[in-house]
């Protein structure tokens, strides 16, 4: 039996109401066992003892008293073993200041390990280092102080020095090993922590509960679930989870951070008791991995067990609401937080609330929450700025930025990233330049590559590619993200050669291309029809095993070959894809359509449908344009009629325009007029231009007049309509009428005409028709 419980006897249970309580009594008033045993029991688990030192009324009262047995301990008792004082200092129970004061005159001080342990407690690296130097000056044996020195350096973050001392002195005490392991774990050096743990076991130093907790944290840092599972098995074999809730919480957290959420949940279920920390760890894991619904289920189950959420739980559950866009649940959480008054020493929670509303698209509510917070910091403002920027509301983001500065809240790197994104969204290059100047004045680009990338991207989105390249060249370090922004910018602006030059320079710097790089370069190759370079990229993508598995890259390859006119290579790529979607098929169909290959285009349509992929509006526009190009009136009619009947697709304005043009080319002006009259939506200029072009070809003055009147009613400054009507009258020999229309065009200043062609815009695409 445990020494501290030998003098304890059970007392007859007393029944109060419906509950039975078993009381324990202690015989006698003196020590029931040796003082040494009691101190050993105390240091094994101090949480089982009351700490009375700060409210003692008399020296006769004990400093520590066992919560169950009531056995007492005094820190200044003459019966205490010699090691008690040092152990108390080491564990943080002694008045370390008393020891530190004597260091002011080290030359006269009697140096003992207690001084160094005191530095451990206060993390006083300066004093600890002075003591170490004095030890070496006096020629003292460093080994006698090694445990304290290693622990002091580890706790102060000087891990290399701590490791070097441990390697030299080969300590057999668990304390310095634990200090170094936890130092590595907290510093994000998980592998070093594991190496240290392995060395400790090799030297037959048995780990304790604290060691296991630290090494589980290290496993979480580097995602080493295999080692974590082995530690779990060791802990279970030793029965440590039955009494140590901290160890159980760390175990759940390790599995959650490694992404093993089922194992994390099982570990939590196996714990003899669960608390808010273990539940929050699991909820955080589900939220971070995008499993918002499971996080909400855990939240409800936790409350069902009678465990009330704290601020950390609420932050995690608000993130879960963002993941599944559960704004109504988020509002419920908001009300709970308000009822508990948590928004008053919890500013992080305020930021999480702002972020939840912003990410769920309720930006006015997010702004309202921020304004109602008792305290605001850059994190809260950043959440709102990010929301506005992501939703394309750049001006609102800029207004918030001004208000934030007016409140004397200094922007940080995240703020600048958000505001640069906002500038990019509305192409506010002047404001972007001002922000650029602020960033330079603060020297932030020296250490933050993400900010550098955001700056490059802002200039790219604003079309200032020269400035974007200048910024990139001046960055102290560049990564693939920065280069991708510039490469994509050149590709989108049809500057394909510059994009290829960027790729070469990036590779010259030893930066490997990624998926986004390949997408940009393939687009660049398509723009300048650089098929040989495109083939090289194709080979590189194939070597990395990316075609068969990445549908975006596959689609980009198909588009590159289509734009270069290599339709058979495009089809070959499509057939090699493991997964094909409508976008890939439409790209190939459009290529065949542009080249007048109606048979191959129709074959693609049939094969696509055999694979269970139904055509969409883009498919039909491509095919109708093909029919128009080849004059296939009956096939065009068949496609047009089956769109809604078979596929439930209601023809849009582009489809109607195609049909009007198709009938017009074939001389079926009556059918063209019938199509226009049967449109469920209002006609746009493109429709009337098509009809006017047809009337000019067939010299149909009556239909031409009707189409011209409709076009002018939409826009009296439609220069193309005037020009076409003039040509219709001229072709019919009605020169006086042609002069009247030309005079009318001049009077109305209708200049919207492009050389000898007319143009219009449909769905942000410019369509050009030859007059």
């Amino acid at each position: 039996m445990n020494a501290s419980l030998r003098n304890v006897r059970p007392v007859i249970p007393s029944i109060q109401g419906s509950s039975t309580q078993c009381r324990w009594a202690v015989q006698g008033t003196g020590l029931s066992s040796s003082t040494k045993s009691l101190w050993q029991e105390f240091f094994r688990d101090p949480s089982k003892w009351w700490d009375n030192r700060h409210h003692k009324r008399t020296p006769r009262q004990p400093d520590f008293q066992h919560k169950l047995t009531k056995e007492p301990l005094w820190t200044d008792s003459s019966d205490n073993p010699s090691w008690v004082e040092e152990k108390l200092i080491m564990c943080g129970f002694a008045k370390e200041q008393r020891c530190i004061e004597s260091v002011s005159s080290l030359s006269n001080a009697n140096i003992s390990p207690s001084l160094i342990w005191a530095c451990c407690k206060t993390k006083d690296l300066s004093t600890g280092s002075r003591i170490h130097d004095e030890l070496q000056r006096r020629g003292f044996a460093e080994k006698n102080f090694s445990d304290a020195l290693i622990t002091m350096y580890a706790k102060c973050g000087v891990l290399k020095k701590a490791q070097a001392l441990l390697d030299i002195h080969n300590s057999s005490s668990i304390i310095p090993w634990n200090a170094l392991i936890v130092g590595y774990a907290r510093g994000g050096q998980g592998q070093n922590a594991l190496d240290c743990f392995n060395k400790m076991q090799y030297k037959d130093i048995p780990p304790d509960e604290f060691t296991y907790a630290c090494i589980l944290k290290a496993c979480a840092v580097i995602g080493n679930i295999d080692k974590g599972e082995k530690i779990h098995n060791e802990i279970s074999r030793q029965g440590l989870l039955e009494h140590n809730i901290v160890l159980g919480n760390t175990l759940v957290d390790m599995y959650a951070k490694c992404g093993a959420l089922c194992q994390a949940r099982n570990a939590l279920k196996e714990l003899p008791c669960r608390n808010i920390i273990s539940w929050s760890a699991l909820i955080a894991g589900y939220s971070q991995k995008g499993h918002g619904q499971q996080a909400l289920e855990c939240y409800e189950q936790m409350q069902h067990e009678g465990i009330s959420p704290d601020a950390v739980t609420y932050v995690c559950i608000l993130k879960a609401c963002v993941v599944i866009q559960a704004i109504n649940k988020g509002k419920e959480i908001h009300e709970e937080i308000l009822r508990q008054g948590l928004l008053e020493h919890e500013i992080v929670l305020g930021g999480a609330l702002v972020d939840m509303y912003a990410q769920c698209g309720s930006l006015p509510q997010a702004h309202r929450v921020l304004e109602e917070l008792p305290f605001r910091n850059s994190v809260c403002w950043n959440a709102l700025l990010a929301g506005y920027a992501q939703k394309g509301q750049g001006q609102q983001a800029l207004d918030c930025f001004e208000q934030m500065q007016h409140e004397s809240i200094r922007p940080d790197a995240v703020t600048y990233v958000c505001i640069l994104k906002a500038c990019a969204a509305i192409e506010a290059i002047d404001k972007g330049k001002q922000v650029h100047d602020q960033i330079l004045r603060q020297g932030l680009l020296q250490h933050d590559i993400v900010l550098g990338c955001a700056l490059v991207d802002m200039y790219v989105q604003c079309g200032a590619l020269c400035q974007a390249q200048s910024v990139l060249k001046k960055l102290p370090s560049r990564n693939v993200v920065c280069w991708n922004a510039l490469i994509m910018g050149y590709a989108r602006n049809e500057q394909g050669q510059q994009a290829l030059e960027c790729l070469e320079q990036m590779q010259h710097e030893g930066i490997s291309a990624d998926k986004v790089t390949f997408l940009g370069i393939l687009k660049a190759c398509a723009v300048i029809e650089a098929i040989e370079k495109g083939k090289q990229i194709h080979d590189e993508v194939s070597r990395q095993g990316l075609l068969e598995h990445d549908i975006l890259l596959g689609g980009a390859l198909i588009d590159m070959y289509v734009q270069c006119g290599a339709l058979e290579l495009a089809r070959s790529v499509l057939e090699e894809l493991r997964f094909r979607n409508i976008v890939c098929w439409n790209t190939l169909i459009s290529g065949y359509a542009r080249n007048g290959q109606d048979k191959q285009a129709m074959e693609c349509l049939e094969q696509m449908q055999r694979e269970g992929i139904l055509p969409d509006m883009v498919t039909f526009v491509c095919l109708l344009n093909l029919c128009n190009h080849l004059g296939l009136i009956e096939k065009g009619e068949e496609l047009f009629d089956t769109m809604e009947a078979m596929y439930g697709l209601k023809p849009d304005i582009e489809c109607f325009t195609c049909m009007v043009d198709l009938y017009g080319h074939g001389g079926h002006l009556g059918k063209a007029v019938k199509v226009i009259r049967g449109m469920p939506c209002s006609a746009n200029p493109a429709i009337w231009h098509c009809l006017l072009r047809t009337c000019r070809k067939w010299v149909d003055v009556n239909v031409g007049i009707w189409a011209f009147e409709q076009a002018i009613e939409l826009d009296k400054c439609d220069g193309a309509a005037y020009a076409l009507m003039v040509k219709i009258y001229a072709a019919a020999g009605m020169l006086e009428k042609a002069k009247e229309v030309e005079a009318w065009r001049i009077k109305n200043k209708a200049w919207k005409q492009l050389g000898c062609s007319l143009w219009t815009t449909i769905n942000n695409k410019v369509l050009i028709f030859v007059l």
Side-chain angles (χ1 to χ4, degrees):
M1 181 180 289
N2 191 307
S4 63
L5 296 179
R6 287 174 184 165
N7 235 19
V8 179
R9 60 178 177 81
V11 176
I12 299 173
S14 63
I15 301 176
Q16 298 178 355
S18 59
S19 65
T20 301
Q21 297 178 331
C22 182
R23 302 196 307 272
W24 295 82
V26 181
Q27 293 181 337
T29 57
L31 293 177
S32 61
S33 58
S34 71
T35 305
K36 178 181 178 181
S37 298
L38 283 176
W39 278 115
Q40 288 174 336
E41 181 66 23
F42 171 82
F43 288 118
R44 192 171 293 117
D45 189 356
S47 66
K48 294 180 180 179
W49 296 71
W50 295 114
D51 186 350
N52 304 320
R53 293 172 300 154
H54 301 294
H55 50 268
K56 286 175 58 173
R57 295 182 179 178
T58 170
R60 296 181 63 184
Q61 286 182 275
D63 292 306
F64 301 103
Q65 195 166 23
H66 198 281
K67 293 178 181 179
L68 185 61
T69 68
K70 312 302 182 192
E71 292 188 283
L73 284 172
W74 285 266
T75 58
D76 54 359
S77 171
S78 59
D79 294 331
N80 289 343
S82 59
W83 47 263
V84 168
E85 182 179 359
E86 185 172 314
K87 190 84 169 177
L88 283 168
I89 293 173
M90 182 175 59
C91 296
F93 289 103
K95 295 181 180 178
E96 65 280 351
Q97 189 60 35
R98 183 178 60 205
C99 303
I100 294 295
E101 287 170 356
S102 65
V103 180
S104 60
S105 57
L106 277 175
S107 58
N108 300 320
N110 181 20
I111 299 178
S112 72
S114 303
L115 292 173
I116 306 172
W117 287 120
C119 295
C120 293
K121 178 64 168 44
T122 58
K123 295 185 179 178
D124 188 347
L125 178 62
S126 175
T127 303
S129 298
R130 287 172 58 203
I131 295 171
H132 192 186
D133 291 341
E134 183 64 17
L135 286 173
Q136 293 175 326
R137 189 185 71 80
R138 295 190 192 183
F140 285 6
E142 192 178 60
K143 185 172 180 62
N144 297 334
F145 301 83
S146 62
D147 286 356
L149 286 169
I150 294 164
T151 306
M152 184 271 296
Y153 283 122
K155 286 193 173 183
C156 293
V158 188
L159 301 175
K160 286 186 178 180
K161 196 157 190 176
Q163 181 71 67
L165 286 171
L166 188 62
D167 291 340
I168 292 170
H169 298 296
N170 205 13
S171 175
S172 60
S173 168
I174 188 69
I175 294 168
W177 288 95
N178 279 352
L180 190 54
I181 289 170
V182 75
Y184 281 133
R186 286 175 179 164
Q189 300 180 45
Q191 189 56 53
N192 287 343
L194 290 179
D195 293 342
C196 195
F197 177 72
N198 291 334
K199 285 181 184 177
M200 187 185 83
Q201 288 189 304
Y202 179 76
K203 295 181 182 297
D204 292 327
I205 301 172
D208 61 10
E209 296 172 2
F210 185 69
T211 317
Y212 286 129
C214 295
I215 209 64
L216 285 172
K217 182 178 176 67
C219 291
V221 168
I222 60 174
N224 191 336
I225 193 170
D226 293 334
K227 186 66 174 178
E229 286 179 329
K230 290 177 182 177
I231 299 298
H232 185 181
N233 293 333
E234 286 186 41
I235 292 169
S236 298
R237 277 197 304 271
Q238 296 181 41
L240 297 178
L241 291 176
E242 295 176 10
H243 307 290
N244 194 317
I245 188 71
V246 174
L247 196 54
N249 293 344
T250 310
L251 187 63
V252 174
D253 186 62
M254 182 276 295
Y255 280 124
K257 285 180 176 171
C258 289
L261 297 172
C262 289
Q263 287 159 287
R265 191 157 195 166
N266 289 336
L268 183 136
K269 286 179 181 178
E270 293 170 3
L271 295 180
C273 62
R274 297 181 279 272
N275 64 7
I276 187 61
I277 297 174
S278 46
W279 275 110
S280 294
L282 183 59
I283 290 169
Y286 277 124
S287 300
Q288 288 164 3
K289 299 300 179 182
H291 301 295
Q293 189 56 48
Q294 290 90 329
L296 291 175
E297 290 169 4
C298 287
Y299 175 71
E300 291 172 3
Q301 188 176 342
M302 178 190 81
Q303 290 181 303
H304 182 70
E305 291 185 4
I307 300 173
S308 299
D310 62 6
V312 175
T313 320
Y314 284 130
V315 168
C316 296
I317 209 65
L318 286 169
K319 182 176 177 65
C321 292
V322 170
V323 169
I324 59 174
Q325 296 288 287
I327 192 169
N328 291 330
K329 186 64 177 179
K331 288 178 179 177
E332 289 179 22
I333 302 298
H334 187 181
E335 290 171 2
E336 287 184 37
I337 291 168
L338 291 176
R339 278 197 298 272
Q340 295 184 40
L342 291 176
L343 288 180
E344 297 297 324
H345 306 299
E346 294 292 347
I347 196 167
V348 175
L349 193 52
L353 268 172
V354 174
D355 186 63
M356 183 275 295
Y357 282 116
Q359 296 300 319
C360 288
S362 185
L363 290 166
Q365 181 67 16
H367 205 148
R368 203 156 38 244
V369 169
L370 183 135
E371 289 179 340
E372 292 170 358
L373 291 177
F375 306 101
R376 292 186 282 273
N377 63 3
S378 62
V379 176
C380 303
W381 279 107
N382 290 347
L384 186 60
L385 287 172
Y388 278 128
Q390 288 165 8
K391 299 298 180 183
Q393 299 184 34
Q395 188 56 54
Q396 290 88 331
L398 293 178
D399 293 342
C400 285
F401 181 60
E402 295 296 329
Q403 188 179 343
M404 171 185 170
Q405 291 181 302
H406 183 70
E407 293 183 6
S408 299
I409 298 174
R410 186 174 181 178
D412 57 16
V414 177
T415 315
Y416 287 127
V417 168
C418 294
I419 211 66
L420 287 170
K421 186 180 175 87
C423 292
I426 59 174
E427 297 185 14
I429 191 169
D430 291 335
K431 184 64 178 178
K433 287 178 178 177
Q434 292 175 21
V435 172
H436 187 180
D437 291 339
Q438 287 182 256
I439 292 168
L440 290 176
R441 281 196 298 271
Q442 295 182 38
L444 294 176
L445 288 179
Q446 298 300 316
H447 310 289
D448 198 318
I449 197 166
V450 174
L451 189 54
C453 292
L455 198 54
V456 172
D457 187 63
M458 182 275 294
Y459 282 119
V460 166
Q461 298 300 325
C462 292
L465 295 174
C466 290
Q467 287 165 290
Q469 187 164 30
S470 175
V471 169
L472 186 138
K473 284 182 178 178
K474 292 176 183 176
L475 291 179
S477 61
R478 295 179 280 273
N479 64 5
V480 70
V481 178
C482 303
W483 280 109
N484 285 348
L486 188 58
I487 287 170
M488 276 293 188
Y490 279 129
R492 286 171 183 159
N493 284 273
E494 299 191 350
Q495 299 182 40
Q497 188 56 47
Q498 290 89 328
L500 295 181
E501 290 171 3
C502 284
L503 174 66
E504 290 179 7
Q505 190 173 345
M506 181 185 90
Q507 291 175 322
H508 181 71
E509 292 181 5
I511 301 172
S512 299
D514 65 5
K515 168 184 163 181
V516 178
T517 318
F518 290 135
L519 288 171
I521 290 299
L522 286 170
K523 185 173 181 66
C525 292
V527 167
I528 59 175
E529 298 185 13
I531 191 168
E532 293 305 320
K533 185 64 177 179
K535 286 179 179 178
Q536 292 176 19
I537 299 299
H538 187 174
D539 292 340
E540 181 61 29
V541 169
S542 297
R543 276 196 299 272
Q544 295 188 28
L546 298 175
L547 276 158
E548 301 103 20
H549 304 285
D550 195 300
I551 200 163
L552 281 178
L553 272 176
L557 274 169
I558 294 168
D559 184 64
M560 183 273 296
Y561 282 125
V562 165
Q563 298 299 328
C564 293
L567 296 176
E568 292 311 306
L569 284 174
R571 184 156 194 166
S572 175
V573 171
L574 185 138
E575 289 173 351
E576 289 173 5
L577 290 178
R578 183 168 295 183
F579 305 103
R580 294 184 277 271
N581 63 6
I582 188 64
V583 176
C584 298
W585 280 109
N586 283 345
T587 302
L588 185 58
I589 289 171
S590 70
Y592 283 129
R594 283 203 299 271
N595 285 273
Q597 300 182 35
D598 60 314
K599 182 180 178 182
Q600 291 88 335
M602 294 304 173
E603 284 176 358
C604 285
L605 176 64
E606 293 171 5
Q607 186 177 341
M608 177 179 81
Q609 292 180 92
R610 282 196 299 271
E611 294 180 4
I613 301 174
L614 298 178
D616 63 5
M617 196 65 71
V618 176
T619 318
F620 279 104
V621 169
C622 291
L623 294 173
L624 288 173
N625 272 316
L626 174 62
C627 294
N628 189 7
H629 181 67
L630 298 177
L632 303 175
I633 295 177
E634 292 182 0
K635 187 63 179 179
E637 287 178 327
E638 179 187 337
L639 288 167
F640 188 78
D641 292 339
T642 58
M643 282 181 65
E644 187 168 6
M646 290 184 64
Y647 303 104
L649 296 172
K650 292 185 178 181
D652 63 6
I653 195 70
E654 288 186 80
C655 293
F656 283 112
T657 304
C658 286
M659 288 307 296
V660 169
D661 211 30
L662 176 63
Y663 283 132
H665 277 149
H668 302 284
L669 273 70
K671 287 186 176 182
V673 170
K674 186 178 179 181
V675 166
I676 294 174
R677 293 188 183 279
M679 286 172 54
C681 53
S682 299
N684 70 351
I687 291 282
W688 302 121
H689 295 167
C690 278
L691 191 56
L692 283 166
R693 186 160 49 88
T694 298
C695 292
R696 177 201 167 194
K697 178 180 180 181
W698 301 106
V699 196
D700 192 319
V701 174
N702 293 329
V703 175
I705 291 172
W706 176 69
F708 174 68
E709 289 173 349
Q710 300 299 319
I712 296 307
E713 187 176 336
L714 281 178
D715 180 8
K716 68 176 183 179
C717 297
D718 185 349
Y722 287 100
L724 283 166
M725 195 64 224
V726 167
K727 292 178 182 293
I728 291 170
Y729 277 132
M734 304 169 68
L735 298 181
E736 290 300 320
K737 286 289 185 182
K739 289 180 181 179
E740 288 179 15
V741 173
E742 178 64 13
W744 195 6
R745 181 180 71 84
I746 294 171
K747 180 182 177 182
N748 289 328
K749 299 180 180 179
W751 313 119
K752 194 191 295 182
Q753 190 175 346
L754 192 64
C756 61
S757 303
L758 62 88
W759 63 275
T760 188
T761 302
I762 298 178
N763 291 346
N764 296 323
K765 296 178 181 177
V766 177
L767 300 183
I768 299 176
F769 298 95
V770 179
L771 295 177

